[in-house]
Amino acid sequence: MSVVRLEHLTKTFPGGTTAVDDLTLTIDDGEFLVLVGPSGCGKSTVLRMIAGLEAVSGGAVSIDDEDVTDWPPKLRDIAMVFQNYALYPHMTVQENMGFALKLRHMDKAEASEKVNDTAGLLGLSTLLDRKPAALSGGQRQRVAMGRALVRRPRVFLLDEPLSNLDAKLRVSMRAELSRLHQRYRITTVYVTHDQVEAMTLGDRIAVLDRGRLQQVGTPDELYREPANRFVAGFMGSPSMNFATVDLGGDAGRVTVRLAGREFEVPAALRRRPGLARYLGSAVVMGLRPAAFAPATSAEVAALRVVPLGVESLGDEKHVLFRPPRAIAAAGDEPGGEDIPVAVDEADDIELWTAKVSQQTAVSIGEPIGLSVDLREAYFFDPVGGEAIPLQRDIAATAIAA
Ligand SMILES: Nc1ncnc2c1ncn2[C@@H]1O[C@H](COP(=O)(O)OP(=O)(O)O)[C@@H](O)[C@H]1O
Ligand SMILES: [Mg+2]
């Protein structure tokens, strides 16, 4: 039973970099929490402070209600696996995995049983006598995890443990990690910059940006109700597309201007609290790539875009095009308003991506019509980037009702 509590955790390095800024987060007993964010956002520093490898500048770490902030690493009963897992090259798999138990003077028979157990679970039973040099990358990573797990730590910390493996191996190791977690239920904090890993592994995900916690929630919550533009753009692949649009209309009708044309915001979104405040002003609208589809003949919400890139992924295609603000509206005169652009002209613009089926006929430079499902639209404050409506707006309305 281990609950890890981080309270106002802060780290400022001597050079003045604040790597972690006032992080408060509880990792529940037996939970698999993924800490995700771009490179340099402070993930490793958080893990190192939990492990006791890095002193805190402020705040506290507690495990099971015991303040361990100033405890040395070895008293915390934490195991950590890094991206560059260093195995002892002169030791066999068996010896590598049993090393921590030997240091603890565990009875030999008991230690060997534990090693064999864990090795079995990790598919390493037939490799126990090999040295690391005679193992594949995936096998070595499994030994590193086995070595950490064998002593059943209170807390398991993993820092981008799969990033050195090839894509296929990463997928199978992800499944293996989930299985291990099901079996042992050790409270785990897993660090990654990869949102796919975060979505597939985490019971909950904590998103970090520049040392600050942006949102904590289940993968589904983060995907469906991102708290701000950063989370919205980070979770999901390809990324959400953003544009600044003018919000028009009145209480009964809300519209957005996109590509010089008005689109009505669907009632379900319009009724959401928060949006009304922005009537008559600019908001940032977000659309996931899947909100687009090839337009059928007479669709209302159709944009005409000029594909600047087409990526075929086998079962789907990604169409890249200039954001609608920079392209002309689909006019009434067929093709009349299109502005074909050269690829190099778009260099400094963040292109939008639409996800369409493999069957869609699309090629670079040939305009196509796309429908936009505005029911799938997200809205963000143009200054602070927080989602409109905020969840607390919803809660407040629910209470008022
Ligand atoms: N020992 C250190 N001294 C000074 N700055 C550091 C040190 N370690 C990390 N940093 C800085 O702190 C920030 C966060 O680093 P890190 O926690 O390693 O990020 P991440 O693991 O998310 O990539 C970065 O700007 C990094 O350069
Ligand atoms: Mg790191």
Side-chain angles (χ1 to χ4, degrees):
M1 299 291 278
S2 294
V3 178
V4 178
R5 206 162 268 131
L6 312 178
E7 277 165 285
H8 305 291
L9 201 61
T10 298
K11 177 70 187 186
T12 303
F13 284 106
T17 309
T18 297
V20 180
D21 192 359
D22 197 26
L23 174 65
T24 295
L25 181 63
T26 298
I27 302 113
D28 294 327
D29 180 46
E31 184 176 27
F32 197 115
L33 181 110
V34 177
L35 191 58
V36 71
S39 175
C41 73
K43 305 179 296 294
S44 295
T45 307
V46 172
L47 273 204
R48 291 170 56 79
M49 287 193 285
I50 298 174
L53 300 170
E54 196 78 68
V56 312
S57 309
V61 179
S62 70
I63 303 177
D64 295 331
D65 290 328
E66 196 161 24
D67 189 330
V68 302
T69 314
D70 299 317
W71 289 21
K74 64 176 177 216
L75 292 184
R76 299 188 187 200
D77 194 12
I78 285 174
M80 192 157 166
V81 175
F82 303 91
Q83 176 181 346
N84 301 307
Y85 39 95
L87 300 175
Y88 301 107
H90 58 285
M91 289 186 195
T92 63
V93 168
Q94 168 112 37
E95 287 161 348
N96 262 290
M97 285 179 66
F99 192 66
L101 304 179
K102 197 169 158 188
L103 285 183
R104 282 173 173 68
H105 306 292
M106 185 181 279
D107 170 73
K108 261 196 180 154
E110 195 189 339
S112 147
E113 194 186 312
K114 285 214 148 131
V115 168
N116 287 335
D117 247 27
T118 309
L121 207 69
L122 286 162
L124 295 168
S125 298
T126 58
L127 305 172
L128 284 170
D129 295 326
R130 292 219 194 151
K131 300 230 169 110
L135 300 173
S136 71
Q139 289 165 339
R140 274 181 226 163
Q141 185 57 290
R142 255 177 262 163
V143 176
M145 281 197 262
R147 186 175 59 175
L149 280 173
V150 78
R151 62 186 178 82
R152 311 283 185 271
R154 285 206 288 177
V155 182
F156 195 24
L157 306 177
L158 300 115
D159 194 350
E160 314 227 13
L162 307 186
S163 46
N164 281 351
L165 307 178
D166 65 56
K168 194 167 168 224
L169 200 50
R170 268 208 303 274
V171 174
S172 66
M173 286 298 284
R174 278 210 306 260
E176 210 153 291
L177 267 170
S178 294
R179 204 165 45 82
L180 280 176
H181 185 69
Q182 294 295 331
R183 162 89 181 253
Y184 293 127
R185 286 277 162 205
I186 296 171
T187 308
T188 300
V189 185
Y190 184 102
V191 157
T192 180
H193 65 272
D194 179 349
Q195 55 92 20
V196 176
E197 251 175 47
M199 293 291 281
T200 50
L201 278 171
D203 292 328
R204 282 190 310 158
I205 301 172
V207 183
L208 212 58
D209 181 37
R210 285 169 291 171
R212 295 219 184 102
L213 183 64
Q214 304 295 311
Q215 190 172 6
V216 196
T218 63
D220 208 46
E221 282 165 356
L222 266 58
Y223 190 81
R224 289 180 194 287
E225 289 286 343
N228 57 39
R229 184 177 165 163
F230 178 84
V231 175
F234 195 77
M235 307 306 290
S237 176
S239 290
M240 189 182 280
N241 305 295
F242 298 103
T244 303
V245 297
D246 288 322
L247 207 60
D250 49 50
R253 193 179 114 92
V254 178
T255 56
V256 292
R257 282 195 82 76
L258 191 65
R261 195 171 145 182
E262 273 198 346
F263 294 104
E264 193 160 341
V265 175
L269 279 184
R270 191 176 73 217
R271 275 197 298 273
R272 293 178 132 201
L275 207 54
R277 255 190 280 137
Y278 291 83
L279 280 183
S281 61
V283 289
V284 171
M285 183 168 76
L287 290 168
R288 294 203 188 273
F292 299 96
T296 52
S297 49
E299 239 158 342
V300 191
L303 299 171
R304 266 177 98 69
V305 305
V306 181
L308 298 181
V310 179
E311 294 171 345
S312 187
L313 277 85
D315 53 353
E316 63 189 39
K317 281 178 183 169
H318 296 166
V319 184
L320 284 79
F321 56 94
R322 299 187 105 181
R325 209 157 47 104
I327 63 172
D332 289 331
E333 311 136 75
E337 301 276 346
D338 291 334
I339 305 172
V341 285
V343 175
D344 55 356
E345 264 185 72
D347 274 357
D348 54 343
I349 298 175
E350 198 156 321
L351 296 180
W352 275 24
T353 307
K355 203 188 269 192
V356 298
S357 74
Q358 184 60 30
Q359 286 73 39
T360 311
V362 51
S363 45
I364 292 174
E366 284 181 26
I368 58 160
L370 292 177
S371 69
V372 185
D373 189 350
L374 282 183
R375 285 172 305 179
E376 300 285 322
Y378 293 77
F379 295 99
F380 305 93
D381 184 275
V383 181
E386 64 270 21
I388 312 167
L390 295 169
Q391 295 224 353
R392 77 177 106 92
D393 286 346
I394 296 171
T397 311
I399 291 163

